[in-house]
Amino acid sequence: MPDMPAAEAVSCRLHGEVLLVTIANPPVNALSANVRRGLLAAIDAAEANPDVRAVLITGAGRNFIAGSDIREFGQPPQPPSLPDVCSRIEACGKPVAAAIHGAALGGGLEVALAAHYRLAAAGARLGLPEVLLGLMPGAGGTQRATRLIGAAAALDLMLSGRHVDAAEAHALGLVDRLVDPSESSGDIQEQGLAYVRQLLSAQAPVRRTRDAAGLADRQAGRAAIAAARAATGKKSRGLFSPPKILEAVEAALDLPFDDALRLERKLFLQCMDSPQRAGLIHAFFAEREVLKTPAIHHQTRNANTTLRAIGSVGVVGGGTMGAGIAAAVLDAGLPVTMIERDAAALARGRAHIETIYDGLIAKGRLSADGKAAVMARFSGSLAYDALAQADLVIEAVFEDMAVKQAVFAQLDRVCKPGAVLATNTSYLDIDAIAAGVSRPADVLGLHFFSPANIMKLLEIVTPAKVAADVLTTAFEFARKLGKTPVRAGVCDGFIGNRIFAAYRQAADRMMEDGASPYRIDDAMRGFGFPMGPFQVADLAGGDIGWAARKRRAATRNLQARQTRYVQIADRLCERGWFGQKTGRGYYAYPDGARSGAPSEEVEAIIAAERRRAGIVPRSFSDEEIVRRCLAAMINEGANVVHQGVALRPLDVDVVFLYGYGFPRYRGGPMKYADTLGLPRVLADIGEFGREDPLFWRPSPLLTGLVGRGANFASLNSRSG
Ligand code: COA
């Protein structure tokens, strides 16, 4: 069998009458320029060679094709374009089949759709997830998918970005044939070749997706578009690409195929040029980059990064956090032993966990047997000795240094050598906690976010003496829990809560200066946060922050003459208004309501505080509210990076995307700052600083970057 000429990354080999075209572009066979060139050349070669009767396209390694090469986005385009490649495949005068295993996503599925026949192996994942990157299918996907599986199913795939498995793809009509499971041990190329030989012997014709009949029922198509448009208006608030997807599908009904393809391309390029695309792709790479953090952490760079095995976990404390953490660990298949101080507290802890699973049962997402299986891994004890064999213990007791140190003294006494000892503190000094035990190298922070079994973010807080393998083990543990881990240094509030505190201070100052908390929340929702800062305060509960403020009161009074301190939150807390859980906070929650109503009493308290502080209220536009809140976040983010609390700006971004509801399409606060331009952010801080220079002190990192004409992105690739 002679080898055919082929470009790098795409190889062609003749198997009898079938030209096998294999894409090998590690790690995921993305459609880089050389792959596109290779595919085009392969189809040309197949067409020109009289010995070839059919073509089979497959991927080497674990995937068919994961999509366009995301790293090429934003670079000058290199020919051939993917639409041209897909059109060439579809136009081929000899039957072309695609044999799909692993991922066939985005442009990868578009290549498969341009082929004439499709076979999928068990374990294949198909989808058009471009919307998750601020894009839409741009190589015929909006047209071919719609013609193949109808407007409703195609819109569902394109607007949700979800992956479907082989069986669902088959049921939808996205693929023609599934690999027989009894033969699934065979390799995908063999399966594909067998399939193409069957097609040839059945004299299967060239069958172009552009001619498929999925839109025959035009009324159903229009109804699907109208329904999707109505749903999208609610679900994809602020997103740029979903309306473009709808427009392209509408064109599939109204325009000839080639005209619709041209429109699709035009809309695709508009998405490509949008800042949302840049923000979402930044998020895609940032969330992968944080996973690699231990390798570039200064403490582990040259160290032996062996892992400590985590086969069993202890959780101290059965409150909301402890129970949520226990559920997250149970969900990862690990056994959990919970410690509480008395039988009633332990029973409450267990009940908290059961409530989580009962909620899943009520939603039909878990069976009673499933819950029983999970709870069989759970045990509780009143004696710390039950933790003697635990590989990892996570302390989640009351946020008080003395209480936590007492817990750690017990852990030091009972835990086996080598056990990892973690605290879930949100603010406290973990170096001080570690200093209290005989094995500080085993101590670190695992800061979960509430609800801990749902929120993806896990700050891995690294005290000075932590051992390298403990840190690496913590990252591996996070991965096992399905969490997104971000390394953070020890400071008050670590990365997230520290920056959030600066955001809150900016919001508090505006509230005292004249903006109502409801207006501020509204403006921040308009920016894309699901909740404004005062809604967050009500949800989180005002009591913890109040306790921290009282703790710091002594030092604050020393600085009081210079530092502005807004007392409105204290006035609410003094009334016992801690937010949702007490039925009152900034908002009123009558009869246990979950969404709050603005309160005139709160407005009156604010007005009284303004008078007390001698402030003449002024008005703030939504734009100014957003500008001040973001400037505070960005400036504190810069401080956090400057002081090494966060490794890079992208770590700050991931914390805000995963823990604080920062709109993903804006990429995170530091990416957003780059989008605005750092000189503009610095100018804003200078302007705000004229009235309050102590709060609005530009971060040295920000000033330095502006001086060098650099941006935050320039710090993302540094190696620690
Ligand atoms: N273009 C360029 N690089 C890509 C890529 C793409 N389309 N898809 C994945 N990669 C890279 C990742 O950045 C990662 O690189 P790294 O090792 O340097 O960090 C590597 O491939 C492996 O990806 P990862 O996500 O860690 O592997 P996985 O096995 O968990 O998942 C996929 C594989 C394909 C399911 C997943 O990467 C994915 O969903 N990719 C995006 C698919 C997509 O959106 N396609 C449409 C593009 S328009």
Side-chain angles (χ1 to χ4, degrees):
M1 280 185 294
D3 280 358
M4 306 284 287
E8 201 188 327
V10 178
S11 63
C12 296
R13 201 168 169 81
L14 202 52
H15 287 253
E17 298 171 312
V18 184
L19 184 69
L20 174 65
V21 179
T22 305
I23 297 157
N25 185 28
V28 293
N29 294 339
L31 290 157
S32 321
N34 52 352
V35 174
R36 300 197 299 273
R37 273 195 300 276
L39 276 172
L40 207 58
I43 300 295
D44 285 346
E47 202 104 71
N49 184 342
D51 295 338
V52 173
R53 281 185 63 209
V55 181
L56 174 68
I57 304 176
T58 63
R62 286 175 32 219
N63 298 298
F64 176 66
I65 303 170
S68 296
D69 186 345
I70 299 173
R71 289 173 208 275
E72 283 184 1
F73 292 172
Q75 316 281 334
Q78 286 186 56
S81 73
L82 190 58
D84 287 349
V85 173
C86 288
S87 294
R88 181 71 190 92
I89 292 170
E90 187 169 63
C92 183
K94 300 174 181 178
V96 182
I100 298 168
H101 75 302
L105 300 173
L109 184 54
E110 290 182 294
V111 167
L113 292 175
H116 307 139
Y117 295 92
R118 285 159 292 279
L119 167 80
R125 285 192 285 166
L126 296 84
L128 294 168
E130 289 88 343
V131 70
L132 304 177
L133 300 174
L135 289 167
M136 57 183 278
T142 63
Q143 304 305 306
R144 292 193 180 95
T146 306
R147 281 170 169 76
L148 198 59
I149 63 175
L155 280 168
D156 169 44
L157 286 187
M158 292 188 281
L159 292 171
S160 70
R162 75 188 178 95
H163 300 173
V164 297
D165 62 17
E168 187 178 354
H170 187 241
L172 286 172
L174 215 45
V175 299
D176 303 292
R177 174 84 72 92
L178 297 178
V179 169
D180 182 345
S182 64
E183 296 172 39
S184 59
S185 55
D187 113 343
I188 186 69
Q189 296 191 349
E190 289 305 320
Q191 305 291 343
L193 286 169
Y195 176 50
V196 177
R197 285 189 196 110
Q198 282 173 25
L199 289 172
L200 283 176
S201 62
Q203 300 197 323
V206 163
R207 188 192 60 169
R208 300 193 169 98
T209 308
R210 61 183 287 158
D211 302 325
L215 289 177
D217 184 347
R218 306 186 88 70
Q219 217 178 340
R222 291 206 192 284
I225 293 169
R229 184 163 277 142
T232 303
K234 287 189 216 114
K235 267 191 265 168
S236 333
R237 201 170 54 100
L239 289 180
F240 183 79
S241 75
K244 308 285 170 194
I245 291 171
L246 283 157
E247 196 178 336
V249 171
E250 205 152 44
L253 283 164
D254 295 335
L255 299 179
F257 183 79
D258 292 317
D259 293 346
L261 272 192
R262 272 189 288 279
L263 176 71
E264 177 200 72
R265 191 67 185 165
K266 190 178 109 191
L267 297 170
F268 172 82
L269 292 174
Q270 288 172 7
C271 295
M272 188 62 100
D273 284 341
S274 75
Q276 292 193 358
R277 188 272 305 161
L280 287 164
I281 286 179
H282 171 75
F284 177 88
F285 285 120
E287 68 199 15
R288 283 165 176 73
E289 215 45 55
V290 290
L291 294 173
K292 302 174 195 160
T293 298
I296 54 170
H297 183 267
H298 67 281
Q299 289 173 339
T300 60
R301 201 187 306 143
N302 300 314
N304 175 0
T305 53
T306 50
L307 292 174
R308 298 191 188 179
I310 304 293
S312 62
V313 176
V315 174
V316 184
T320 311
M321 273 325 274
I325 293 169
V329 178
L330 290 168
D331 287 344
L334 291 167
V336 172
T337 304
M338 176 178 278
I339 302 292
E340 258 296 359
R341 63 179 163 227
D342 57 47
L346 188 56
R348 276 197 302 276
R350 187 185 173 101
H352 276 139
I353 302 176
E354 297 215 25
T355 308
I356 292 171
Y357 294 113
D358 289 341
L360 293 179
I361 292 175
K363 285 186 198 137
R365 301 224 303 262
L366 185 72
S367 66
D369 286 351
K371 176 186 162 188
V374 175
M375 289 309 291
R377 291 197 289 277
F378 176 81
S379 61
S381 176
L382 304 181
Y384 277 90
D385 301 80
L387 300 179
Q389 292 311 313
D391 298 312
L392 162 69
V393 180
I394 306 169
E395 163 281 307
V397 301
F398 187 64
E399 192 75 351
D400 177 274
M401 182 57 92
V403 177
K404 298 216 185 246
Q405 280 175 330
V407 170
F408 271 78
Q410 292 293 335
L411 299 180
D412 200 12
R413 181 177 65 79
V414 302
C415 290
K416 65 183 180 187
V420 175
L421 309 181
T423 169
N424 177 53
T425 180
S426 314
Y427 292 96
L428 299 177
D429 179 355
I430 303 178
D431 284 309
I433 295 175
V437 297
S438 64
R439 34 176 144 174
D442 295 339
V443 175
L444 88 174
L446 289 180
H447 182 213
F448 288 80
F449 288 71
S450 186
N453 57 315
I454 293 175
M455 294 292 283
K456 289 271 176 233
L457 178 62
L458 182 63
E459 281 182 328
I460 296 189
V461 193
T462 58
K465 293 197 175 144
V466 66
D469 64 337
V470 169
L471 185 56
T472 315
T473 300
F475 270 84
E476 187 50 37
F477 176 68
R479 207 187 309 255
K480 190 156 191 180
L481 261 53
K483 302 290 183 202
T484 299
V486 175
R487 176 223 175 251
V490 174
C491 70
D492 192 356
F494 315 132
I495 299 176
N497 282 344
R498 175 169 159 182
I499 298 172
F500 193 82
Y503 165 32
R504 252 309 286 280
Q505 284 184 45
D508 281 352
R509 282 161 159 73
M510 277 188 282
M511 173 165 64
E512 197 175 51
D513 285 339
S516 94
Y518 316 118
R519 177 76 191 268
I520 295 172
D521 280 352
D522 202 40
M524 296 314 288
R525 282 197 306 272
F527 177 79
F529 278 97
M531 284 189 271
F534 299 103
Q535 288 173 295
V536 172
D538 274 3
L539 185 65
D543 42 344
I544 294 174
W546 192 34
R549 289 197 298 281
K550 284 193 281 194
R551 219 173 33 239
R552 292 188 208 115
T555 42
R556 190 175 56 236
N557 287 340
L558 291 177
Q559 306 164 344
R561 241 167 289 150
Q562 297 106 39
T563 317
R564 178 171 173 191
Y565 178 71
V566 177
Q567 299 181 23
I568 296 166
D570 293 347
R571 294 297 92 79
L572 301 188
C573 290
E574 285 155 10
R575 288 169 168 79
W577 296 359
F578 295 148
Q580 263 191 44
K581 62 183 171 190
T582 57
R584 300 220 56 160
Y586 290 94
Y587 295 80
Y589 304 86
D591 308 321
R594 295 190 65 183
S595 65
S599 152
E600 284 180 13
E601 278 173 89
V602 171
E603 305 238 46
I605 292 168
I606 296 169
E609 279 300 302
R610 287 177 189 142
R611 281 195 299 277
R612 188 194 53 73
I615 288 165
V616 180
R618 73 169 179 97
S619 68
F620 289 82
S621 68
D622 285 0
E623 190 258 22
E624 185 175 2
I625 291 169
V626 168
R627 214 149 53 91
R628 283 178 179 259
C629 288
L630 265 297
M633 266 184 247
I634 293 163
N635 198 45
E636 196 61 10
N639 283 330
V640 155
V641 174
H642 186 59
Q643 293 163 12
V645 171
L647 210 52
R648 300 150 298 192
L650 70 80
D651 296 77
V652 173
D653 286 338
V654 171
V655 165
F656 267 76
L657 295 175
Y658 281 89
Y660 296 83
F662 197 96
R664 188 175 166 91
Y665 61 82
R666 298 194 193 269
M670 312 313 265
K671 172 70 186 175
Y672 179 69
D674 278 353
T675 311
L676 285 177
L678 298 192
R680 197 174 134 191
V681 177
L682 188 60
D684 277 353
I685 293 170
E687 181 194 324
F688 307 148
R690 282 203 285 278
E691 59 198 50
D692 187 354
L694 264 186
F695 179 68
W696 294 105
R697 266 181 306 197
S699 165
L701 180 67
L702 185 58
T703 318
L705 286 171
V706 170
R708 306 206 300 274
N711 60 8
F712 286 128
S714 67
L715 305 178
N716 281 336
S717 52
R718 67 181 175 177
S719 57

